[in-house]
Amino acid sequence: MKRILVLVISLLAINLYSSNGKYRLTLRGNPATSIVIGWDQTSGNNPTVYYGTTDFGTNYTNYPNSKTPDRTVSYKGMNNNFARLTNLSPNTAYYFVISDSQGTSERFWFKTAPADNSRLSFIAGGDSRNNRTPRQNANRLVAKLKPHAVLFGGDMTNGDSNGEWRDWFNDWQLTIASDNRMFPIVATRGNHEDSNNSIYHLFDVPSTSVYYALTFGNNLVRTYTLNTEISISGNQTTWLRNDLDANPNTVWKMAQYHKPMRPHVSSKSEGNNQYNNWAQLFYDKGVKLVVECDAHTVKTTWPVRPSTGSGSDEGFVRDNQNGTVYAGEGCWGAPLRSNNDNKNWTRNSARFNQFKWIFVDEDKIEARTVKVDNASQVGTVSNDNVFAIPSNLDIWNPSNGSVVTINKGTVVDPDPDNNTVDIAISGGNDDVEESENGDLYTNSSDLELVYDSYSNSGNQVIGLYFRSVGVPKNATITSAYLQFTADESNNAEAELEIALHDSSNSPAFSNSNKVSNRTTLSNKVVWNPDSWSSNQSGNAQRSPDLKNMVQSLVNKSNWISGNNISFIIRGKGRSLTDTSAKRVADSYEGGSGKAARIIINYTTDSTPQPVSICDGIAPWQSGVSYAVGAKVTYQGNLFERTSGGWQFIDSCNATRNNQTKVKYSTPPVHQISELHTRVHPNPFTDKISLSTSLFVEGRTYAITIYNMAGKIIHKQNISKASKNQVFTITPKVNASGIYLLSVSDDNDTIIKTMRLIKQ
């Protein structure tokens, strides 16, 4: 009888919850005030969502609000119901059940996004397809990391079949946390979704074309979900451009789509349509992070901008100040592929199951790559602090560091006379304490400067590691200082010594690369800090001026804007003899907003002087500031900086060893806008027409077309050229794609390079 009773109770429980399942949350409006609850209604009638801000468990009659489905669609073997909840309160927990004629679901809950610009957490990735073990592991980590939203980049299933979708949604239930908290998905279409309907009917996205945008916070971040499986040019790009123009005050812009522009797998085709329509738009409109999928490999790039000039690789060059970071490329369960197509602007690449864990606040974006295979061993973040890194989380730590930081401080001030870089410590491994016996502590909530009685650490050596310092080579440093936040109150006299690692690109701290054994620059600075009061972050917590040591670093021959630097702080004098003579600062673990910062102010050389530009970068695109009156030679021509911009002055004759000889004649001055080289049509099918104002009467010019690997595809000469004459060319180009067209004079000096597209 006892066994029969248990069986009956079990069957009743199954029947109680069997009328609906395959739950999902999606977004189609303001994430702070709305959400969509979706489910599969397997049986029963009149399903209704009952919800409120008080948890009444499964007692649906006590919930103050109810909502019947706004939309019901039978698709992929499921009866998909969507209840769109609106007029919710921001940053608030809502509890809900789904009740119908056959019973009531479990009680679930979600939390709306903040309406202010509080920090946000996202998970981004895609390609979950056919390997259910890594797919389930990644889903389990969603439940443990509790993001504000999951940006999913498409290819959910392998064959888009009914059975595969049912399995996918069964696996998606693993994203529900142990306390039944759910997290919304922002879905993208991939090439393994046979049509837009798979996304529109299963996730109730706000557009049947499956491209749309959502703003999180007041204006903190606008996420763009794009569709690479339909026409990219035309309506989609027009919408994207208009929306970017309509949201100029958004602090951050991010994009996600399926197929990458420049896949890091050699067997994958180049995304030329994406590149031609979106790359320059992303750069011009300040889209700082793009998450791509499809290739089933792992990559992050340095910030890049589109360019077809000298030094570009597949149409991009590194631009640490204003560039876009591209990350991906989708390893949520699809078969892994080799990362065998790196570029010179690739930051790091690899091959493993992963997704991106992204934090966004007003000052920076931080992106980490999370390996998912050990999901069962990973701890769970607290609902009260979703930014704490849980135990055993396997964060990828490649050669260039585990955290990709996009910091507004690395963007060059448009005023060339007053540039500022303001960069905070971006991870727990970047502010460290090294004890007297060489032990390295990376997870302390504070930094003892420098005596620490804990574990007999004694007089420690402190290391501060700052990433992507966007100061140009040979810039003039006008000031530089470290800014701390006091963790404790201290007033005993202390004496600290600040030094800078003598390295043009300092490596991250590790047990094999500690703080104390780094060679430092000779111009150290001694600091006798004033009294500190807990939680202060003002002048008392600001170091003396460090400009001389920073100047020495950026003057090094191999310094590159965007490299990393590390400071070393030791006790000196009084702090070695009096254990109370110390200062205690907050570390990254003590609160990322309180972590140490480096603030560098600089100017660039503004002395008017002739400069030879031989690397294919136009002076108005080089990121270098020139004073009015500066003369620059570029691609065989002389230009002068005026108050209104750059002006063409005259042609110049360059010898083969790049020693420029300028002939200072007095032709009419032309605005840059009057200088033109036109190729029509572009894209082309067989013939092109070329004209340019750069031709000098009677000279001979060579027209050369290269593929993106630098191989010459077509070359022909134009004799006795004349300015603005139209020449017809039939390039011997067979394959569709992007090419480079260059025009060079009879001294083999390139006077123009431009992108050419073969349809």
Side-chain angles (χ1 to χ4, degrees):
M1 276 299 294
K2 189 177 292 184
R3 290 182 180 176
I4 294 173
L5 183 60
V6 170
L7 179 60
V8 170
I9 293 172
S10 299
L11 289 173
L12 286 173
I14 291 171
N15 184 61
L16 181 67
Y17 297 126
S18 64
S19 57
N20 49 61
K22 297 180 175 58
Y23 307 104
R24 69 215 77 155
L25 296 182
T26 63
L27 296 168
R28 57 182 294 117
N30 186 342
T33 59
S34 67
I35 206 159
V36 179
I37 298 174
W39 69 93
D40 174 25
Q41 187 69 33
T42 56
S43 61
N45 300 311
N46 302 318
T48 303
V49 175
Y50 294 89
Y51 66 99
T53 57
T54 302
D55 184 4
F56 292 108
T58 57
N59 190 350
Y60 71 92
T61 60
N62 285 353
Y63 287 99
N65 308 296
S66 64
K67 190 73 170 68
T68 56
D70 295 88
R71 181 173 171 231
T72 300
V73 56
S74 294
Y75 193 72
K76 296 301 180 184
M78 294 172 285
N79 188 25
N80 301 282
N81 285 246
F82 300 102
R84 301 167 180 169
L85 309 189
T86 57
N87 298 317
L88 305 177
S89 298
N91 203 28
T92 301
Y94 281 87
Y95 304 88
F96 72 92
V97 295
I98 303 169
S99 184
D100 55 39
S101 61
Q102 291 188 350
T104 303
S105 72
E106 296 178 73
R107 189 275 290 146
F108 300 101
W109 71 285
F110 63 88
K111 192 173 185 179
T112 52
D116 59 14
N117 284 353
S118 300
R119 197 180 193 196
L120 296 174
S121 167
F122 297 96
I123 285 174
D127 294 276
S128 52
R129 279 179 52 185
N130 50 344
N131 292 329
R132 293 187 72 178
T133 297
R135 180 167 86 193
Q136 292 169 345
N137 282 332
N139 291 353
R140 290 186 180 97
L141 286 179
V142 171
K144 293 182 175 185
L145 297 181
K146 306 182 188 302
H148 289 90
V150 178
L151 309 179
F152 205 97
D155 276 11
M156 283 76 164
T157 70
N158 192 54
D160 205 37
S161 68
N162 292 5
E164 287 176 307
W165 273 110
R166 287 194 294 268
D167 287 343
W168 191 90
F169 277 109
N170 285 335
D171 289 348
W172 189 251
Q173 306 312 292
L174 295 171
T175 66
I176 301 173
S178 59
D179 60 356
N180 272 12
R181 181 176 177 182
M182 296 178 65
F183 310 95
I185 180 173
V186 180
T188 309
R189 181 188 167 190
N191 58 289
H192 281 258
E193 281 76 59
D194 288 343
S195 73
N196 290 340
N197 286 335
S198 294
I199 302 301
Y200 181 65
H201 290 330
L202 296 176
F203 298 96
D204 196 37
V205 298
S207 164
T208 57
S209 299
V210 196
Y211 56 82
Y212 55 98
L214 299 166
T215 294
F216 290 81
N218 178 32
N219 65 335
L220 181 62
V221 59
R222 190 155 175 84
T223 61
Y224 290 88
T225 297
L226 303 175
N227 191 344
T228 58
E229 307 315 304
I230 63 173
S231 177
I232 290 174
S233 60
N235 290 341
Q236 183 171 192
T237 297
T238 298
W239 166 84
L240 175 62
R241 180 180 293 105
N242 290 341
D243 195 278
L244 289 165
D245 287 339
N247 290 275
N249 297 322
T250 303
V251 178
W252 297 105
K253 301 180 181 74
M254 302 182 344
Q256 67 162 344
Y257 49 80
H258 187 63
K259 290 181 178 175
M261 290 185 189
R262 295 292 179 252
H264 280 53
V265 172
S266 61
S267 61
K268 280 288 182 179
S269 300
E270 300 300 328
N272 292 332
N273 283 338
Q274 298 93 295
Y275 178 89
N276 295 336
N277 286 278
W278 295 342
Q280 190 67 46
L281 191 57
F282 288 162
Y283 180 74
D284 292 342
K285 302 301 181 181
V287 178
K288 293 300 183 184
L289 177 62
V290 174
V291 183
E292 305 173 313
C293 293
D294 183 62
H296 312 172
T297 198
V298 183
K299 70 101 184 280
T300 54
T301 76
W302 296 107
V304 295
R305 61 176 168 84
S307 172
T308 56
S310 174
S312 70
D313 189 354
E314 294 188 2
F316 284 108
V317 295
R318 185 168 166 180
D319 183 340
N320 294 309
Q321 279 72 37
N322 301 302
T324 302
V325 172
Y326 292 80
E329 294 178 3
C331 299
W332 202 296
L336 298 178
R337 298 190 180 106
S338 297
N339 53 312
N340 57 4
D341 194 7
N342 282 1
K343 332 296 178 184
N344 61 24
W345 35 263
T346 302
R347 177 182 174 125
N348 287 106
S349 70
R351 178 180 182 270
F352 49 80
N353 299 306
Q354 57 90 31
F355 56 62
K356 307 302 179 191
W357 193 23
I358 301 165
F359 296 163
V360 183
D361 60 38
E362 286 190 313
D363 294 325
K364 62 183 178 302
I365 297 175
E366 298 173 349
R368 295 167 174 83
T369 299
V370 174
K371 298 181 178 182
V372 305
D373 293 339
N374 74 328
S376 60
Q377 285 82 47
V378 175
T380 300
V381 303
S382 164
N383 285 315
D384 297 324
N385 183 10
V386 299
F387 306 102
I389 296 176
S391 60
N392 299 321
L393 186 66
D394 192 358
I395 297 176
W396 184 39
N397 188 21
S399 59
N400 288 300
S402 61
V403 183
V404 177
T405 301
I406 304 171
N407 195 310
K408 288 193 299 182
T410 63
V411 177
V412 174
D413 189 315
D415 178 3
D417 295 324
N418 184 23
N419 297 291
T420 300
V421 165
D422 185 341
I423 302 173
I425 293 291
S426 60
N429 292 329
D430 291 351
D431 52 357
V432 301
E433 299 168 305
E434 183 180 328
S435 68
E436 289 182 336
N437 59 11
D439 293 331
L440 204 63
Y441 299 100
T442 63
N443 58 359
S444 175
S445 63
D446 57 28
L447 300 174
E448 307 277 348
L449 307 173
V450 290
Y451 182 80
D452 191 353
S453 59
Y454 178 76
S455 298
N456 297 317
S457 296
N459 291 303
Q460 305 178 121
V461 181
I462 304 300
L464 302 175
Y465 186 67
F466 296 99
R467 300 174 183 269
S468 301
V469 180
V471 178
K473 180 181 177 181
N474 295 326
T476 300
I477 308 302
T478 57
S479 68
Y481 58 89
L482 295 168
Q483 180 68 58
F484 296 94
T485 299
D487 182 65
E488 296 179 6
S489 298
N490 299 103
N491 55 22
E493 291 187 9
E495 195 167 48
L496 306 172
E497 179 189 82
I498 304 174
L500 185 59
H501 185 202
D502 187 4
S503 169
S504 292
N505 193 15
S506 187
F509 300 120
S510 66
N511 285 323
S512 60
N513 205 331
K514 296 183 179 180
V515 186
S516 60
N517 57 7
R518 299 185 178 215
T519 303
T520 62
L521 295 166
S522 60
N523 41 8
K524 302 178 179 67
V525 170
V526 174
W527 182 19
N528 300 114
D530 294 335
S531 298
W532 283 16
S533 296
S534 180
N535 293 319
Q536 279 188 345
S537 182
N539 290 334
Q541 292 75 38
R542 180 176 299 179
S543 76
D545 199 342
L546 310 175
K547 68 178 182 180
N548 291 336
M549 64 177 71
V550 176
Q551 186 71 68
S552 298
L553 191 64
V554 302
N555 285 351
K556 294 175 74 70
S557 60
N558 50 354
W559 169 261
I560 298 175
S561 177
N563 281 356
N564 308 315
I565 67 176
S566 60
F567 287 92
I568 295 93
I569 302 177
R570 289 181 166 87
K572 184 177 176 63
R574 285 180 288 265
S575 62
L576 295 177
T577 58
D578 182 356
T579 58
S580 65
K582 63 181 180 181
R583 297 294 181 266
V584 183
D586 281 302
S587 69
Y588 181 86
E589 287 84 358
S592 60
K594 300 179 180 180
R597 293 153 47 216
I598 178 68
I599 295 94
I600 303 172
N601 293 288
Y602 68 90
T603 62
T604 51
D605 186 4
S606 60
T607 304
Q609 57 182 341
V611 182
S612 179
I613 302 293
C614 301
D615 60 3
I617 301 174
W620 49 90
Q621 297 175 336
S622 64
V624 178
S625 298
Y626 295 90
V628 172
K631 293 182 174 64
V632 175
T633 58
Y634 168 64
Q635 294 188 347
N637 298 283
L638 178 68
F639 300 90
E640 183 176 357
R641 184 76 166 92
T642 71
S643 59
W646 286 94
Q647 290 183 328
F648 170 76
I649 302 298
D650 197 4
S651 300
C652 60
N653 299 319
T655 62
R656 293 179 184 271
N657 63 1
N658 288 330
Q659 298 301 310
T660 304
K661 300 177 181 178
V662 180
K663 55 178 185 179
Y664 291 94
S665 58
T666 57
V669 174
H670 303 285
Q671 295 291 338
I672 289 293
S673 60
E674 296 178 20
L675 295 172
H676 69 266
T677 300
R678 298 190 179 97
V679 171
H680 180 78
N682 191 11
F684 75 100
T685 54
D686 51 4
K687 295 181 180 181
I688 59 174
S689 297
L690 181 145
S691 66
T692 178
S693 62
L694 298 176
F695 281 167
V696 176
E697 192 77 30
R699 293 181 67 175
T700 298
Y701 294 86
I703 309 299
T704 308
I705 297 175
Y706 304 85
N707 64 16
M708 297 306 291
K711 181 181 178 181
I712 295 177
I713 304 299
H714 176 86
K715 187 172 184 178
Q716 73 179 73
N717 291 332
I718 295 176
S719 301
K720 298 181 179 179
S722 60
K723 182 180 295 187
N724 296 328
Q725 181 180 349
V726 178
F727 299 91
T728 300
I729 300 169
T730 305
K732 298 175 182 177
V733 177
N734 297 320
S736 299
I738 299 177
Y739 297 84
L740 297 181
L741 181 149
S742 72
V743 182
S744 55
D745 63 17
D746 46 14
N747 286 322
D748 286 341
T749 299
I750 295 176
I751 64 171
K752 183 66 178 179
T753 300
M754 61 190 306
R755 184 178 64 185
L756 185 65
I757 303 171
K758 172 68 187 307
Q759 289 181 328

